[in-house]
Amino acid sequence: MSNTKMMMPKLGLGTFRLKEQVDLTLIHWPTRDASPTIADSMQALYQAQQMGLTKAIGISNFTIEQMKQAIDAVGAQNIASQQIEIHPFLQNEKVAEFAASQGIPVTAYMPLAYGKVLTDVVITQIAQAHGVSAAQVALAWSLQKGYTVIPSSTKRENLASNLDALKIVLSDAEMKQIAELERNERLVSPEFAPDWD
């Protein structure tokens, strides 16, 4: 973000001068408390979008029930993404399938499971068969499932290598082998997290 000073509006009050626009604004963790409600939060995000503060709005770490509340508040067509933890050891199928059934794209965060995929025997064997890295195989698996992936790295060479996952096509048998790695190994679950599906 630049050093340009922005006048921030209070939603629903006054006027403002827009200097910049955010591409995507998410509710990163839904509240477990009654206030603000998911409906209140989603409607505030939708209002921010209508005011031109953000191009798109979305949700993150929502259960199916919480997604239903978000959809009721603003409509599925206005939810650009459901960002959830997905990797070969936590495939989050129920939540991902519900999002897809509503037309809400899924963004997979932690797709490399804090690097745990790099040493998994099944993934490394598939990687060797393709002449690629284990990280690329894990990313290709998520991409073939139709997810957007957001791996993190501090090394430029890893960032470039991650892009090559777009070129990898895994066979049905390889996709099935990776699917069998599911063990409900959630790596991100703070005390304020919802009761997961």
Side-chain angles (χ1 to χ4, degrees):
M1 184 173 249
S2 71
N3 291 328
T4 305
K5 187 174 181 182
M6 286 182 61
M7 293 177 63
M8 295 302 294
K10 291 184 179 177
L11 296 178
L13 301 173
T15 59
F16 65 97
R17 230 175 60 206
L18 180 64
K19 298 275 187 177
E20 296 185 29
Q21 184 182 59
V22 176
D23 289 329
L24 173 64
T25 305
L26 301 173
I27 295 176
H28 193 71
W29 288 97
T31 182
R32 293 186 101 178
D33 301 327
S35 180
T37 65
I38 288 173
D40 290 341
S41 298
M42 291 305 298
Q43 287 164 359
L45 279 189
Y46 183 70
Q47 186 178 2
Q49 183 183 29
Q50 297 305 301
M51 295 167 75
L53 296 172
T54 184
K55 288 182 186 175
I57 62 173
I59 55 179
S60 183
N61 300 304
F62 276 45
T63 63
I64 292 171
E65 179 55 38
Q66 290 166 333
M67 276 194 284
K68 288 177 181 177
Q69 292 175 44
I71 290 165
D72 287 345
V74 298
Q77 73 280 5
N78 292 309
I79 301 173
S81 179
Q82 155 75 314
Q83 180 179 286
I84 51 177
E85 181 182 344
I86 294 180
H87 47 76
F89 314 128
L90 175 70
Q91 298 176 20
N92 235 327
E93 290 287 340
K94 283 184 187 175
V95 174
E97 286 173 7
F98 179 78
S101 77
Q102 301 302 305
I104 300 172
V106 172
T107 300
Y109 75 81
M110 302 281 296
L112 304 180
Y114 283 137
K116 291 182 177 191
V117 299
L118 305 180
T119 58
D120 181 82
V121 173
V122 170
I123 293 173
T124 55
Q125 286 175 347
I126 294 170
Q128 288 170 357
H130 286 265
V132 299
S133 72
Q136 290 170 324
V137 167
L139 296 174
W141 171 80
S142 286
L143 291 166
Q144 274 185 236
K145 290 186 69 66
Y147 308 143
T148 299
V149 294
I150 48 173
S152 62
S153 180
T154 57
K155 296 182 179 176
R156 182 178 292 273
E157 60 271 16
N158 289 347
L159 294 171
S161 176
N162 288 343
L163 290 174
D164 287 336
L166 293 164
K167 302 173 189 171
I168 299 167
V169 178
L170 301 174
S171 69
D172 290 344
E174 290 166 334
M175 291 292 287
K176 186 175 182 215
Q177 282 182 284
I178 296 172
E180 291 170 354
L181 297 176
E182 167 65 62
R183 54 188 187 223
N184 200 32
E185 186 178 335
R186 189 173 298 280
L187 301 174
V188 180
S189 191
E191 62 184 37
F192 53 82
D195 295 328
W196 301 110
D197 290 309

